[in-house]
Amino acid sequence: VRAQHTLVRVGELPATHYTIRSGWAFRYVTLPESRRQILEFLLPGDSISLENLLCEERPAAHAVKALTALVLCVFDPSEMRELVRRPGKQQETFCTTVRNHLDTMDRRLADVGQRRASGRIAQLLLELEGRLRARGLSEDGGFEFPARQEHLADALGLSQVHVNRILVGFRKDELIAFGRGRMKILNMQALTSIALED
Amino acid sequence: VRAQHTLVRVGELPATHYTIRSGWAFRYVTLPESRRQILEFLLPGDSISLENLLCEERPAAHAVKALTALVLCVFDPSEMRELVRRPGKQQETFCTTVRNHLDTMDRRLADVGQRRASGRIAQLLLELEGRLRARGLSEDGGFEFPARQEHLADALGLSQVHVNRILVGFRKDELIAFGRGRMKILNMQALTSIALED
DNA sequence: CGGCCATTTGAAGCATGTCAAATATCGTGG
DNA sequence: CCACGATATTTGACATGCTTCAAATGGCCG
């Protein structure tokens, strides 16, 4: 599918189950005043709407939109649901994935609730780098980065302008380099310590 | 168990599975600088550490502490896990509960990320009232409220002082009444509109 | 080359945080 | 039942991190 395409809408019943083969997407909700919270970035290897495997016929509480052009793997949701209902390796994997997701969401809430802007941004960059590295998509701290600063802002509960100031600050301090759709972490250690302290 | 007792510690392997019969507890994580994020208030009828049913032998990423004295129901986690592994009514219920939890955590993240203080507080009060009412623990908008302002602050990513100012403001506007371990919502409609707009 | 969109920078305002002290409430022992 | 100390709430003054608005710069594509 093409960039900007909406894959899931709020209130919609799920018809298909996807996995991302290439490209980035994001899961989000919109609030009054057209504010938007990005709940999660979806990277190659991630499932879109895992939660639909948990219960059938339940409308989505969030939306999912393609950030870039995507190549997807398509699955039949009722078949998948079957697989996950019965004991076995697939079920184990599924449960572990859901558990990971729960832990991740907890961490995210703690970040947004407790850390200052620089800590949140550092944390998010490190998380993305880690997830991409695990899939062979980051080399030496550098990776494709199709998200705009606006997306980081919406994910972290900050304004785009402020995200920019912090990113420029990181760049001046030679913690990261970015531009032209790429991001590179230059000083992982320093960035980690910012992510932890703030 | 007594108030303030810690039921689950970070990194600990789960030995038991509990449900709350009476009292309040809360799930939280601590960050450097001794900041604390409360992830969730646990009320009568809630399970403590549902996620342990998902996968075995996985250390907790969060802690759980009793806010008041608690009466608990104790279950054998491996038996429960069995129940949840096989298709059936129990599994359905479990999956629905997990799904609810996922949706709730998404909503929480959106609240903390996007709403201002008054909106977050209104939202939390309404959520708690709704959950308590569903269990017959709220009458006419009034209910036992053992949480201190400090707990609200830690749940919402605000300072205790600021939470107090907003609460006092709500009281002046006759939206709520509180004190002596009780809370009462006087003007549900106005509070809802604050919760939505901000 | 020109237009569009994203990034960058500046200036000013405001929501929220921090520090500190006063007041109210609660639990406990005399 | 009262008095006391400890803990929670309330209030004030001030500091600051972040937002908002606005405009300039830069990159990309037709």
Side-chain angles (χ1 to χ4, degrees):
Chain A
V1 306
R2 285 207 295 242
Q4 317 305 326
H5 185 251
T6 299
L7 295 157
V8 178
R9 264 168 244 280
V10 172
E12 202 174 54
L13 287 170
T16 356
H17 182 251
Y18 304 108
T19 275
I20 299 184
R21 180 169 265 289
S22 75
W24 287 32
F26 60 93
R27 211 161 62 78
Y28 68 101
V29 292
T30 30
L31 295 98
E33 304 177 41
S34 77
R35 296 181 70 85
R36 172 175 75 177
Q37 175 70 39
I38 292 185
L39 301 164
E40 185 179 19
F41 288 104
L42 299 166
L43 310 179
D46 288 338
S47 305
I48 297 185
S49 53
L50 249 198
E51 63 285 345
N52 284 332
L53 298 185
L54 280 168
C55 45
E56 16 201 344
E57 303 302 322
R58 172 135 163 191
H62 57 250
V64 176
K65 188 184 266 199
L67 191 55
T68 65
L70 296 177
V71 179
L72 300 171
C73 303
V74 183
F75 298 90
D76 177 28
S78 52
E79 255 178 54
M80 292 291 285
R81 226 174 260 138
E82 257 325 287
L83 228 47
V84 145
R85 287 273 178 281
R86 320 204 156 272
K89 189 140 174 274
Q90 318 268 9
Q91 188 181 61
E92 285 310 312
T93 312
F94 175 69
C95 286
T96 306
T97 309
V98 172
R99 173 67 190 272
N100 282 337
H101 185 252
L102 288 171
D103 290 354
T104 303
M105 291 311 284
D106 284 353
R107 199 151 7 94
R108 244 184 258 290
L109 181 57
D111 282 353
V112 174
Q114 303 298 329
R115 291 197 219 274
R116 43 176 69 229
S118 55
R120 291 185 217 178
I121 294 177
Q123 195 78 28
L124 179 55
L125 293 177
L126 290 166
E127 181 202 313
L128 290 171
E129 197 279 332
R131 287 167 64 195
L132 290 167
R133 181 152 35 83
R135 289 151 201 196
L137 295 172
S138 163
E139 237 179 271
D140 211 19
F143 47 94
E144 294 292 322
F145 191 78
R148 287 182 278 115
Q149 297 180 353
E150 180 197 339
H151 295 113
L152 299 183
D154 285 350
L156 298 171
L158 298 167
S159 67
Q160 180 268 322
V161 174
H162 199 59
V163 168
N164 177 260
R165 286 189 226 279
I166 304 280
L167 284 177
V168 170
F170 283 175
R171 181 159 59 190
K172 282 218 177 69
D173 296 345
E174 298 185 344
L175 300 175
I176 60 174
F178 63 94
R180 300 152 190 267
R182 288 192 61 82
M183 170 71 61
K184 176 155 187 168
I185 296 179
L186 300 172
N187 189 338
M188 184 90 51
Q189 196 176 359
L191 201 59
T192 304
S193 89
I194 287 176
L196 291 179
E197 82 196 10
D198 277 339
Chain B
V1 307
R2 284 207 296 244
Q4 317 306 327
H5 184 251
T6 299
L7 296 157
V8 177
R9 263 169 246 281
V10 171
E12 204 174 51
L13 287 170
T16 357
H17 183 251
Y18 304 108
T19 274
I20 299 183
R21 181 169 267 288
S22 75
W24 287 31
F26 60 93
R27 212 162 61 79
Y28 67 102
V29 293
T30 30
L31 294 98
E33 304 176 41
S34 78
R35 298 181 71 85
R36 171 175 74 177
Q37 175 70 41
I38 294 186
L39 301 164
E40 186 179 18
F41 289 104
L42 299 166
L43 310 180
D46 289 339
S47 307
I48 297 184
S49 53
L50 249 198
E51 62 287 346
N52 284 332
L53 298 184
L54 280 168
C55 45
E56 18 201 342
E57 305 302 323
R58 170 131 164 193
H62 57 250
V64 177
K65 186 183 266 200
L67 190 56
T68 66
L70 296 178
V71 179
L72 299 172
C73 302
V74 182
F75 298 89
D76 177 28
S78 52
E79 255 178 56
M80 292 290 285
R81 226 174 261 138
E82 258 323 289
L83 227 48
V84 146
R85 287 273 178 280
R86 319 203 157 274
K89 189 140 173 273
Q90 317 267 10
Q91 189 182 60
E92 285 309 312
T93 312
F94 175 68
C95 286
T96 306
T97 310
V98 173
R99 172 68 190 269
N100 282 337
H101 185 253
L102 289 172
D103 289 354
T104 304
M105 293 310 285
D106 284 353
R107 200 152 4 95
R108 245 184 257 292
L109 180 58
D111 281 353
V112 174
Q114 303 298 329
R115 291 197 220 272
R116 45 178 67 230
S118 54
R120 292 184 217 179
I121 294 177
Q123 195 78 25
L124 179 55
L125 293 177
L126 289 167
E127 180 200 315
L128 290 171
E129 197 278 334
R131 287 168 64 195
L132 290 167
R133 181 152 35 83
R135 289 150 202 197
L137 295 172
S138 164
E139 237 178 272
D140 211 18
F143 48 93
E144 294 292 322
F145 191 79
R148 288 183 277 113
Q149 298 181 353
E150 180 196 340
H151 295 113
L152 299 183
D154 285 349
L156 298 171
L158 298 167
S159 68
Q160 181 269 321
V161 174
H162 198 60
V163 168
N164 178 260
R165 284 190 227 279
I166 304 280
L167 283 176
V168 169
F170 283 175
R171 181 159 60 190
K172 282 216 177 70
D173 295 345
E174 299 186 342
L175 300 175
I176 61 174
F178 64 94
R180 300 153 189 269
R182 288 192 60 82
M183 171 71 61
K184 176 155 186 168
I185 296 179
L186 300 173
N187 189 338
M188 184 88 53
Q189 196 176 358
L191 201 60
T192 304
S193 90
I194 287 174
L196 290 180
E197 82 195 10
D198 276 338

